[in-house]
Structure formats: C-alpha cells, structure tokens
Amino acid sequence: MKVRIFPPPLGIYEVIKKQMSREIKFRAWDQKRKEWAMHPNDMESMFGFSSLRKGGFSWMQYTGLKDKNGKEIYEWDIVNRYEKNTYNPEPTVMRVYWNENSCGWSVKDIHLNMHMSDMCILEVIGNVWENPDLLTPNPTKKDETTK
C-alpha cells in the first residue's frame, strides 16, 4: 500500500517562518517594590539579572504582536479590543494571557475569552500591575440590558 503525503496548504511555510522568527523578550515586575525590575530593552537593569531569578517577580513574555499604535503587547497587558467590520465602535477592555488549551495568545474579560486574531484591533492601555482598576466594571456606565 502506497501512502501519499500531500503538501501542506499554500502559505503554511510563511506562517511557520513568521512564528519562528519572532523576538523572544520578557519584562519583570517587582512585587515587593511595585516597580519594573527589568524592561525588554534593559537586560542589564540596575537590579541585575541574577537577582530576578530569586522570586518575588512576575514575568511577562512578549507576544510577538504590536497594537494599533506600534506598542509591543505583553502577557498581562490590558488592551482595548475593537472589532473589525462592526457597527459598534465601543472597545472591550480585556487582559492578554497565554491560553494553554489552545497553545496561543488570547484576550479575556469577565464574559469573553478569545484568541488574538486579525479579526480585531488591539490598543494597549495598561497592565494588571500598574492599572488593575482598568479591569473592574465601571459602575457609572449604564448597562444596556437593564433598560
């Protein structure tokens, strides 16, 4: 019996090449001092890289994606998510995280959990360490369902 191996769909090599060539970067938040211990462009920070391995730091990985303004998107960033091809101009505030079930970067809020894709436009507005209040529901905003 002959087994025929079909070639992968056109464009798959370009997708794999793009994913494999992304920059691997991290940044670190010092939980005790409540400040950045290491920025992506400052690998030789004033705290020293070896001290960051001791614990007490929250690490965030660069997703390889940039927002609509060209800002790098990191894990634990808070973003405004705008739908493409929709009549609703209002953004949804969401948090960036690594989804282990789908092995990819996703965004979520209290109602939705979705992949970061070309179907949306993202804008970094903060992160969970410096701006946790961005993730809390706004009590002054009227809920459309209660009218």
Side-chain angles (χ1 to χ4, degrees), residues 77-82 90-96 107-112 122-128 131-138 141:
D77 274 348
I78 300 170
V79 297
N80 274 334
R81 181 183 182 276
Y82 299 90
E90 291 295 314
T92 305
V93 176
M94 304 184 99
R95 178 177 61 85
V96 177
V107 289
K108 72 177 179 178
D109 66 2
I110 56 174
H111 303 291
L112 297 171
L122 300 175
E123 176 184 29
V124 175
I125 58 172
N127 61 69
V128 299
N131 318 98
D133 54 311
L134 293 175
L135 292 174
T136 58
N138 185 352
K141 188 175 180 181

PDB file of all heavy atoms in Angstrom, residues 77-82 90-96 107-112 122-128 131-138 141:
ATOM      1  N   ASP A  77      -0.863  42.429  29.809  1.00  0.00           N
ATOM      2  CA  ASP A  77      -1.242  43.778  29.398  1.00  0.00           C
ATOM      3  C   ASP A  77      -2.759  43.877  29.379  1.00  0.00           C
ATOM      4  O   ASP A  77      -3.461  42.880  29.188  1.00  0.00           O
ATOM      5  CB  ASP A  77      -0.704  44.107  27.998  1.00  0.00           C
ATOM      6  CG  ASP A  77       0.713  44.641  28.018  1.00  0.00           C
ATOM      7  OD1 ASP A  77       1.218  44.984  29.112  1.00  0.00           O
ATOM      8  OD2 ASP A  77       1.316  44.727  26.937  1.00  0.00           O
ATOM      9  N   ILE A  78      -3.260  45.071  29.565  1.00  0.00           N
ATOM     10  CA  ILE A  78      -4.684  45.349  29.438  1.00  0.00           C
ATOM     11  C   ILE A  78      -4.858  46.114  28.139  1.00  0.00           C
ATOM     12  O   ILE A  78      -4.135  47.085  27.885  1.00  0.00           O
ATOM     13  CB  ILE A  78      -5.210  46.167  30.640  1.00  0.00           C
ATOM     14  CG1 ILE A  78      -4.975  45.387  31.941  1.00  0.00           C
ATOM     15  CG2 ILE A  78      -6.683  46.494  30.452  1.00  0.00           C
ATOM     16  CD1 ILE A  78      -5.242  46.185  33.191  1.00  0.00           C
ATOM     17  N   VAL A  79      -5.781  45.646  27.319  1.00  0.00           N
ATOM     18  CA  VAL A  79      -5.962  46.228  25.994  1.00  0.00           C
ATOM     19  C   VAL A  79      -7.417  46.611  25.745  1.00  0.00           C
ATOM     20  O   VAL A  79      -8.331  46.032  26.330  1.00  0.00           O
ATOM     21  CB  VAL A  79      -5.515  45.247  24.881  1.00  0.00           C
ATOM     22  CG1 VAL A  79      -4.034  44.946  24.970  1.00  0.00           C
ATOM     23  CG2 VAL A  79      -6.315  43.956  24.917  1.00  0.00           C
ATOM     24  N   ASN A  80      -7.593  47.595  24.891  1.00  0.00           N
ATOM     25  CA  ASN A  80      -8.900  47.861  24.309  1.00  0.00           C
ATOM     26  C   ASN A  80      -8.979  46.999  23.064  1.00  0.00           C
ATOM     27  O   ASN A  80      -8.069  47.024  22.231  1.00  0.00           O
ATOM     28  CB  ASN A  80      -9.047  49.332  23.913  1.00  0.00           C
ATOM     29  CG  ASN A  80      -9.513  50.201  25.051  1.00  0.00           C
ATOM     30  OD1 ASN A  80     -10.176  49.730  25.968  1.00  0.00           O
ATOM     31  ND2 ASN A  80      -9.157  51.473  25.005  1.00  0.00           N
ATOM     32  N   ARG A  81     -10.036  46.220  22.939  1.00  0.00           N
ATOM     33  CA  ARG A  81     -10.232  45.350  21.776  1.00  0.00           C
ATOM     34  C   ARG A  81     -11.364  45.923  20.935  1.00  0.00           C
ATOM     35  O   ARG A  81     -12.487  46.046  21.394  1.00  0.00           O
ATOM     36  CB  ARG A  81     -10.586  43.935  22.217  1.00  0.00           C
ATOM     37  CG  ARG A  81     -10.768  42.981  21.065  1.00  0.00           C
ATOM     38  CD  ARG A  81     -11.195  41.607  21.575  1.00  0.00           C
ATOM     39  NE  ARG A  81     -11.328  40.677  20.494  1.00  0.00           N
ATOM     40  CZ  ARG A  81     -12.410  40.563  19.739  1.00  0.00           C
ATOM     41  NH1 ARG A  81     -13.462  41.316  19.964  1.00  0.00           N
ATOM     42  NH2 ARG A  81     -12.458  39.690  18.762  1.00  0.00           N
ATOM     43  N   TYR A  82     -11.026  46.326  19.715  1.00  0.00           N
ATOM     44  CA  TYR A  82     -12.000  46.868  18.784  1.00  0.00           C
ATOM     45  C   TYR A  82     -12.298  45.813  17.726  1.00  0.00           C
ATOM     46  O   TYR A  82     -11.382  45.188  17.196  1.00  0.00           O
ATOM     47  CB  TYR A  82     -11.457  48.114  18.078  1.00  0.00           C
ATOM     48  CG  TYR A  82     -11.120  49.251  19.008  1.00  0.00           C
ATOM     49  CD1 TYR A  82      -9.847  49.372  19.562  1.00  0.00           C
ATOM     50  CD2 TYR A  82     -12.065  50.208  19.319  1.00  0.00           C
ATOM     51  CE1 TYR A  82      -9.527  50.416  20.407  1.00  0.00           C
ATOM     52  CE2 TYR A  82     -11.752  51.274  20.165  1.00  0.00           C
ATOM     53  CZ  TYR A  82     -10.482  51.357  20.698  1.00  0.00           C
ATOM     54  OH  TYR A  82     -10.176  52.394  21.536  1.00  0.00           O
ATOM     55  N   GLU A  90     -17.479  50.923  20.225  1.00  0.00           N
ATOM     56  CA  GLU A  90     -17.043  50.827  21.616  1.00  0.00           C
ATOM     57  C   GLU A  90     -16.051  49.676  21.800  1.00  0.00           C
ATOM     58  O   GLU A  90     -16.336  48.548  21.412  1.00  0.00           O
ATOM     59  CB  GLU A  90     -18.244  50.616  22.539  1.00  0.00           C
ATOM     60  CG  GLU A  90     -19.146  51.812  22.654  1.00  0.00           C
ATOM     61  CD  GLU A  90     -18.463  52.989  23.316  1.00  0.00           C
ATOM     62  OE1 GLU A  90     -17.800  52.809  24.356  1.00  0.00           O
ATOM     63  OE2 GLU A  90     -18.592  54.111  22.778  1.00  0.00           O
ATOM     64  N   PRO A  91     -14.912  49.955  22.446  1.00  0.00           N
ATOM     65  CA  PRO A  91     -13.950  48.876  22.695  1.00  0.00           C
ATOM     66  C   PRO A  91     -14.365  48.031  23.893  1.00  0.00           C
ATOM     67  O   PRO A  91     -15.147  48.456  24.737  1.00  0.00           O
ATOM     68  CB  PRO A  91     -12.660  49.633  23.001  1.00  0.00           C
ATOM     69  CG  PRO A  91     -13.132  50.908  23.626  1.00  0.00           C
ATOM     70  CD  PRO A  91     -14.424  51.251  22.916  1.00  0.00           C
ATOM     71  N   THR A  92     -13.827  46.826  23.946  1.00  0.00           N
ATOM     72  CA  THR A  92     -13.979  45.950  25.104  1.00  0.00           C
ATOM     73  C   THR A  92     -12.632  45.901  25.796  1.00  0.00           C
ATOM     74  O   THR A  92     -11.610  45.647  25.164  1.00  0.00           O
ATOM     75  CB  THR A  92     -14.379  44.522  24.661  1.00  0.00           C
ATOM     76  OG1 THR A  92     -15.547  44.599  23.858  1.00  0.00           O
ATOM     77  CG2 THR A  92     -14.622  43.626  25.846  1.00  0.00           C
ATOM     78  N   VAL A  93     -12.605  46.156  27.105  1.00  0.00           N
ATOM     79  CA  VAL A  93     -11.359  46.110  27.877  1.00  0.00           C
ATOM     80  C   VAL A  93     -11.090  44.651  28.222  1.00  0.00           C
ATOM     81  O   VAL A  93     -11.938  43.970  28.798  1.00  0.00           O
ATOM     82  CB  VAL A  93     -11.450  46.969  29.155  1.00  0.00           C
ATOM     83  CG1 VAL A  93     -10.172  46.830  29.984  1.00  0.00           C
ATOM     84  CG2 VAL A  93     -11.702  48.426  28.797  1.00  0.00           C
ATOM     85  N   MET A  94      -9.900  44.168  27.845  1.00  0.00           N
ATOM     86  CA  MET A  94      -9.556  42.764  28.035  1.00  0.00           C
ATOM     87  C   MET A  94      -8.114  42.629  28.504  1.00  0.00           C
ATOM     88  O   MET A  94      -7.318  43.546  28.362  1.00  0.00           O
ATOM     89  CB  MET A  94      -9.772  41.987  26.741  1.00  0.00           C
ATOM     90  CG  MET A  94     -11.192  42.120  26.202  1.00  0.00           C
ATOM     91  SD  MET A  94     -11.486  41.112  24.754  1.00  0.00           S
ATOM     92  CE  MET A  94     -12.293  39.728  25.525  1.00  0.00           C
ATOM     93  N   ARG A  95      -7.789  41.451  29.035  1.00  0.00           N
ATOM     94  CA  ARG A  95      -6.446  41.148  29.519  1.00  0.00           C
ATOM     95  C   ARG A  95      -5.797  40.106  28.603  1.00  0.00           C
ATOM     96  O   ARG A  95      -6.435  39.143  28.191  1.00  0.00           O
ATOM     97  CB  ARG A  95      -6.527  40.600  30.946  1.00  0.00           C
ATOM     98  CG  ARG A  95      -5.176  40.203  31.518  1.00  0.00           C
ATOM     99  CD  ARG A  95      -5.290  39.729  32.945  1.00  0.00           C
ATOM    100  NE  ARG A  95      -6.119  38.550  33.137  1.00  0.00           N
ATOM    101  CZ  ARG A  95      -5.693  37.300  33.002  1.00  0.00           C
ATOM    102  NH1 ARG A  95      -4.455  37.046  32.629  1.00  0.00           N
ATOM    103  NH2 ARG A  95      -6.506  36.287  33.231  1.00  0.00           N
ATOM    104  N   VAL A  96      -4.516  40.291  28.313  1.00  0.00           N
ATOM    105  CA  VAL A  96      -3.758  39.364  27.465  1.00  0.00           C
ATOM    106  C   VAL A  96      -3.185  38.248  28.335  1.00  0.00           C
ATOM    107  O   VAL A  96      -2.650  38.499  29.415  1.00  0.00           O
ATOM    108  CB  VAL A  96      -2.605  40.105  26.753  1.00  0.00           C
ATOM    109  CG1 VAL A  96      -1.769  39.142  25.922  1.00  0.00           C
ATOM    110  CG2 VAL A  96      -3.143  41.239  25.897  1.00  0.00           C
ATOM    111  N   VAL A 107      -7.138  36.919  24.632  1.00  0.00           N
ATOM    112  CA  VAL A 107      -7.586  38.032  25.461  1.00  0.00           C
ATOM    113  C   VAL A 107      -8.882  37.616  26.126  1.00  0.00           C
ATOM    114  O   VAL A 107      -9.647  36.826  25.577  1.00  0.00           O
ATOM    115  CB  VAL A 107      -7.790  39.328  24.638  1.00  0.00           C
ATOM    116  CG1 VAL A 107      -6.471  39.903  24.201  1.00  0.00           C
ATOM    117  CG2 VAL A 107      -8.699  39.116  23.455  1.00  0.00           C
ATOM    118  N   LYS A 108      -9.109  38.134  27.350  1.00  0.00           N
ATOM    119  CA  LYS A 108     -10.347  37.777  28.011  1.00  0.00           C
ATOM    120  C   LYS A 108     -10.790  38.906  28.942  1.00  0.00           C
ATOM    121  O   LYS A 108      -9.992  39.719  29.389  1.00  0.00           O
ATOM    122  CB  LYS A 108     -10.221  36.480  28.781  1.00  0.00           C
ATOM    123  CG  LYS A 108      -9.389  36.517  30.046  1.00  0.00           C
ATOM    124  CD  LYS A 108      -9.436  35.156  30.720  1.00  0.00           C
ATOM    125  CE  LYS A 108      -8.610  35.107  31.977  1.00  0.00           C
ATOM    126  NZ  LYS A 108      -8.713  33.813  32.625  1.00  0.00           N
ATOM    127  N   ASP A 109     -12.103  38.904  29.189  1.00  0.00           N
ATOM    128  CA  ASP A 109     -12.676  39.755  30.217  1.00  0.00           C
ATOM    129  C   ASP A 109     -13.576  38.854  31.051  1.00  0.00           C
ATOM    130  O   ASP A 109     -13.460  37.630  30.984  1.00  0.00           O
ATOM    131  CB  ASP A 109     -13.407  40.962  29.612  1.00  0.00           C
ATOM    132  CG  ASP A 109     -14.646  40.582  28.813  1.00  0.00           C
ATOM    133  OD1 ASP A 109     -14.996  39.391  28.739  1.00  0.00           O
ATOM    134  OD2 ASP A 109     -15.284  41.492  28.254  1.00  0.00           O
ATOM    135  N   ILE A 110     -14.495  39.418  31.823  1.00  0.00           N
ATOM    136  CA  ILE A 110     -15.319  38.569  32.679  1.00  0.00           C
ATOM    137  C   ILE A 110     -16.351  37.763  31.889  1.00  0.00           C
ATOM    138  O   ILE A 110     -16.886  36.790  32.386  1.00  0.00           O
ATOM    139  CB  ILE A 110     -16.018  39.382  33.788  1.00  0.00           C
ATOM    140  CG1 ILE A 110     -16.847  40.524  33.195  1.00  0.00           C
ATOM    141  CG2 ILE A 110     -15.005  39.919  34.776  1.00  0.00           C
ATOM    142  CD1 ILE A 110     -17.663  41.273  34.225  1.00  0.00           C
ATOM    143  N   HIS A 111     -16.612  38.149  30.635  1.00  0.00           N
ATOM    144  CA  HIS A 111     -17.618  37.457  29.825  1.00  0.00           C
ATOM    145  C   HIS A 111     -17.041  36.674  28.649  1.00  0.00           C
ATOM    146  O   HIS A 111     -17.572  35.643  28.281  1.00  0.00           O
ATOM    147  CB  HIS A 111     -18.638  38.457  29.272  1.00  0.00           C
ATOM    148  CG  HIS A 111     -19.328  39.246  30.328  1.00  0.00           C
ATOM    149  ND1 HIS A 111     -20.222  38.697  31.210  1.00  0.00           N
ATOM    150  CD2 HIS A 111     -19.227  40.550  30.663  1.00  0.00           C
ATOM    151  CE1 HIS A 111     -20.658  39.629  32.032  1.00  0.00           C
ATOM    152  NE2 HIS A 111     -20.073  40.759  31.724  1.00  0.00           N
ATOM    153  N   LEU A 112     -15.972  37.168  28.075  1.00  0.00           N
ATOM    154  CA  LEU A 112     -15.435  36.580  26.841  1.00  0.00           C
ATOM    155  C   LEU A 112     -14.018  36.072  27.026  1.00  0.00           C
ATOM    156  O   LEU A 112     -13.262  36.593  27.837  1.00  0.00           O
ATOM    157  CB  LEU A 112     -15.431  37.625  25.724  1.00  0.00           C
ATOM    158  CG  LEU A 112     -16.772  38.166  25.275  1.00  0.00           C
ATOM    159  CD1 LEU A 112     -16.559  39.343  24.344  1.00  0.00           C
ATOM    160  CD2 LEU A 112     -17.582  37.090  24.607  1.00  0.00           C
ATOM    161  N   LEU A 122      -6.198  45.824  18.514  1.00  0.00           N
ATOM    162  CA  LEU A 122      -5.877  45.959  19.930  1.00  0.00           C
ATOM    163  C   LEU A 122      -5.119  47.252  20.185  1.00  0.00           C
ATOM    164  O   LEU A 122      -4.343  47.708  19.351  1.00  0.00           O
ATOM    165  CB  LEU A 122      -5.035  44.774  20.406  1.00  0.00           C
ATOM    166  CG  LEU A 122      -5.673  43.394  20.278  1.00  0.00           C
ATOM    167  CD1 LEU A 122      -4.681  42.320  20.671  1.00  0.00           C
ATOM    168  CD2 LEU A 122      -6.934  43.296  21.109  1.00  0.00           C
ATOM    169  N   GLU A 123      -5.340  47.807  21.378  1.00  0.00           N
ATOM    170  CA  GLU A 123      -4.632  49.004  21.819  1.00  0.00           C
ATOM    171  C   GLU A 123      -4.259  48.808  23.289  1.00  0.00           C
ATOM    172  O   GLU A 123      -5.142  48.638  24.136  1.00  0.00           O
ATOM    173  CB  GLU A 123      -5.526  50.229  21.668  1.00  0.00           C
ATOM    174  CG  GLU A 123      -4.913  51.501  22.189  1.00  0.00           C
ATOM    175  CD  GLU A 123      -5.871  52.677  22.108  1.00  0.00           C
ATOM    176  OE1 GLU A 123      -7.097  52.484  22.173  1.00  0.00           O
ATOM    177  OE2 GLU A 123      -5.367  53.802  21.996  1.00  0.00           O
ATOM    178  N   VAL A 124      -2.962  48.813  23.587  1.00  0.00           N
ATOM    179  CA  VAL A 124      -2.505  48.649  24.966  1.00  0.00           C
ATOM    180  C   VAL A 124      -2.861  49.911  25.750  1.00  0.00           C
ATOM    181  O   VAL A 124      -2.524  51.020  25.345  1.00  0.00           O
ATOM    182  CB  VAL A 124      -0.979  48.396  25.036  1.00  0.00           C
ATOM    183  CG1 VAL A 124      -0.493  48.337  26.469  1.00  0.00           C
ATOM    184  CG2 VAL A 124      -0.620  47.112  24.302  1.00  0.00           C
ATOM    185  N   ILE A 125      -3.564  49.710  26.882  1.00  0.00           N
ATOM    186  CA  ILE A 125      -3.950  50.850  27.724  1.00  0.00           C
ATOM    187  C   ILE A 125      -3.352  50.746  29.128  1.00  0.00           C
ATOM    188  O   ILE A 125      -3.514  51.651  29.931  1.00  0.00           O
ATOM    189  CB  ILE A 125      -5.484  51.002  27.802  1.00  0.00           C
ATOM    190  CG1 ILE A 125      -6.146  49.735  28.347  1.00  0.00           C
ATOM    191  CG2 ILE A 125      -6.046  51.389  26.452  1.00  0.00           C
ATOM    192  CD1 ILE A 125      -7.632  49.881  28.620  1.00  0.00           C
ATOM    193  N   GLY A 126      -2.659  49.650  29.421  1.00  0.00           N
ATOM    194  CA  GLY A 126      -2.036  49.479  30.725  1.00  0.00           C
ATOM    195  C   GLY A 126      -1.663  48.034  30.955  1.00  0.00           C
ATOM    196  O   GLY A 126      -1.563  47.248  30.011  1.00  0.00           O
ATOM    197  N   ASN A 127      -1.461  47.687  32.226  1.00  0.00           N
ATOM    198  CA  ASN A 127      -1.160  46.306  32.597  1.00  0.00           C
ATOM    199  C   ASN A 127      -1.753  46.049  33.976  1.00  0.00           C
ATOM    200  O   ASN A 127      -2.146  46.975  34.678  1.00  0.00           O
ATOM    201  CB  ASN A 127       0.346  46.034  32.561  1.00  0.00           C
ATOM    202  CG  ASN A 127       1.106  46.904  33.518  1.00  0.00           C
ATOM    203  OD1 ASN A 127       1.000  46.748  34.729  1.00  0.00           O
ATOM    204  ND2 ASN A 127       1.866  47.852  32.977  1.00  0.00           N
ATOM    205  N   VAL A 128      -1.834  44.782  34.355  1.00  0.00           N
ATOM    206  CA  VAL A 128      -2.514  44.414  35.601  1.00  0.00           C
ATOM    207  C   VAL A 128      -1.772  44.877  36.852  1.00  0.00           C
ATOM    208  O   VAL A 128      -2.368  44.955  37.919  1.00  0.00           O
ATOM    209  CB  VAL A 128      -2.790  42.894  35.688  1.00  0.00           C
ATOM    210  CG1 VAL A 128      -3.692  42.449  34.565  1.00  0.00           C
ATOM    211  CG2 VAL A 128      -1.510  42.106  35.697  1.00  0.00           C
ATOM    212  N   ASN A 131      -2.175  49.175  36.550  1.00  0.00           N
ATOM    213  CA  ASN A 131      -3.533  49.673  36.290  1.00  0.00           C
ATOM    214  C   ASN A 131      -4.610  48.624  36.535  1.00  0.00           C
ATOM    215  O   ASN A 131      -5.442  48.381  35.672  1.00  0.00           O
ATOM    216  CB  ASN A 131      -3.631  50.149  34.833  1.00  0.00           C
ATOM    217  CG  ASN A 131      -2.426  50.920  34.375  1.00  0.00           C
ATOM    218  OD1 ASN A 131      -1.546  50.374  33.741  1.00  0.00           O
ATOM    219  ND2 ASN A 131      -2.387  52.191  34.722  1.00  0.00           N
ATOM    220  N   PRO A 132      -4.656  47.986  37.710  1.00  0.00           N
ATOM    221  CA  PRO A 132      -5.660  46.942  37.941  1.00  0.00           C
ATOM    222  C   PRO A 132      -7.092  47.468  37.883  1.00  0.00           C
ATOM    223  O   PRO A 132      -8.018  46.727  37.573  1.00  0.00           O
ATOM    224  CB  PRO A 132      -5.319  46.411  39.337  1.00  0.00           C
ATOM    225  CG  PRO A 132      -4.580  47.513  39.994  1.00  0.00           C
ATOM    226  CD  PRO A 132      -3.843  48.239  38.900  1.00  0.00           C
ATOM    227  N   ASP A 133      -7.262  48.760  38.152  1.00  0.00           N
ATOM    228  CA  ASP A 133      -8.597  49.363  38.120  1.00  0.00           C
ATOM    229  C   ASP A 133      -9.220  49.345  36.732  1.00  0.00           C
ATOM    230  O   ASP A 133     -10.442  49.447  36.599  1.00  0.00           O
ATOM    231  CB  ASP A 133      -8.538  50.796  38.647  1.00  0.00           C
ATOM    232  CG  ASP A 133      -7.517  51.644  37.915  1.00  0.00           C
ATOM    233  OD1 ASP A 133      -6.360  51.182  37.757  1.00  0.00           O
ATOM    234  OD2 ASP A 133      -7.856  52.764  37.497  1.00  0.00           O
ATOM    235  N   LEU A 134      -8.403  49.204  35.692  1.00  0.00           N
ATOM    236  CA  LEU A 134      -8.950  49.165  34.323  1.00  0.00           C
ATOM    237  C   LEU A 134      -9.792  47.921  34.071  1.00  0.00           C
ATOM    238  O   LEU A 134     -10.624  47.904  33.171  1.00  0.00           O
ATOM    239  CB  LEU A 134      -7.816  49.227  33.292  1.00  0.00           C
ATOM    240  CG  LEU A 134      -7.039  50.531  33.223  1.00  0.00           C
ATOM    241  CD1 LEU A 134      -5.871  50.396  32.248  1.00  0.00           C
ATOM    242  CD2 LEU A 134      -7.949  51.676  32.810  1.00  0.00           C
ATOM    243  N   LEU A 135      -9.580  46.872  34.865  1.00  0.00           N
ATOM    244  CA  LEU A 135     -10.319  45.621  34.673  1.00  0.00           C
ATOM    245  C   LEU A 135     -11.606  45.551  35.475  1.00  0.00           C
ATOM    246  O   LEU A 135     -12.414  44.658  35.261  1.00  0.00           O
ATOM    247  CB  LEU A 135      -9.439  44.419  35.034  1.00  0.00           C
ATOM    248  CG  LEU A 135      -8.268  44.169  34.107  1.00  0.00           C
ATOM    249  CD1 LEU A 135      -7.400  43.053  34.648  1.00  0.00           C
ATOM    250  CD2 LEU A 135      -8.762  43.838  32.712  1.00  0.00           C
ATOM    251  N   THR A 136     -11.809  46.467  36.394  1.00  0.00           N
ATOM    252  CA  THR A 136     -13.030  46.432  37.189  1.00  0.00           C
ATOM    253  C   THR A 136     -14.161  47.088  36.419  1.00  0.00           C
ATOM    254  O   THR A 136     -13.954  48.066  35.706  1.00  0.00           O
ATOM    255  CB  THR A 136     -12.838  47.158  38.545  1.00  0.00           C
ATOM    256  OG1 THR A 136     -12.439  48.506  38.290  1.00  0.00           O
ATOM    257  CG2 THR A 136     -11.797  46.467  39.387  1.00  0.00           C
ATOM    258  N   PRO A 137     -15.375  46.548  36.539  1.00  0.00           N
ATOM    259  CA  PRO A 137     -16.512  47.138  35.836  1.00  0.00           C
ATOM    260  C   PRO A 137     -16.746  48.576  36.292  1.00  0.00           C
ATOM    261  O   PRO A 137     -16.566  48.904  37.463  1.00  0.00           O
ATOM    262  CB  PRO A 137     -17.695  46.258  36.238  1.00  0.00           C
ATOM    263  CG  PRO A 137     -17.100  45.008  36.769  1.00  0.00           C
ATOM    264  CD  PRO A 137     -15.738  45.367  37.294  1.00  0.00           C
ATOM    265  N   ASN A 138     -17.127  49.419  35.359  1.00  0.00           N
ATOM    266  CA  ASN A 138     -17.376  50.820  35.629  1.00  0.00           C
ATOM    267  C   ASN A 138     -18.815  50.991  36.116  1.00  0.00           C
ATOM    268  O   ASN A 138     -19.743  50.844  35.339  1.00  0.00           O
ATOM    269  CB  ASN A 138     -17.119  51.642  34.364  1.00  0.00           C
ATOM    270  CG  ASN A 138     -17.236  53.127  34.605  1.00  0.00           C
ATOM    271  OD1 ASN A 138     -17.652  53.573  35.673  1.00  0.00           O
ATOM    272  ND2 ASN A 138     -16.867  53.900  33.612  1.00  0.00           N
ATOM    273  N   LYS A 141     -21.196  53.504  34.203  1.00  0.00           N
ATOM    274  CA  LYS A 141     -21.653  53.192  32.854  1.00  0.00           C
ATOM    275  C   LYS A 141     -22.961  52.423  32.928  1.00  0.00           C
ATOM    276  O   LYS A 141     -23.055  51.423  33.609  1.00  0.00           O
ATOM    277  CB  LYS A 141     -20.583  52.368  32.114  1.00  0.00           C
ATOM    278  CG  LYS A 141     -20.894  52.175  30.657  1.00  0.00           C
ATOM    279  CD  LYS A 141     -19.751  51.469  29.959  1.00  0.00           C
ATOM    280  CE  LYS A 141     -20.075  51.291  28.493  1.00  0.00           C
ATOM    281  NZ  LYS A 141     -19.024  50.611  27.790  1.00  0.00           N
TER     282      LYS A 141
END
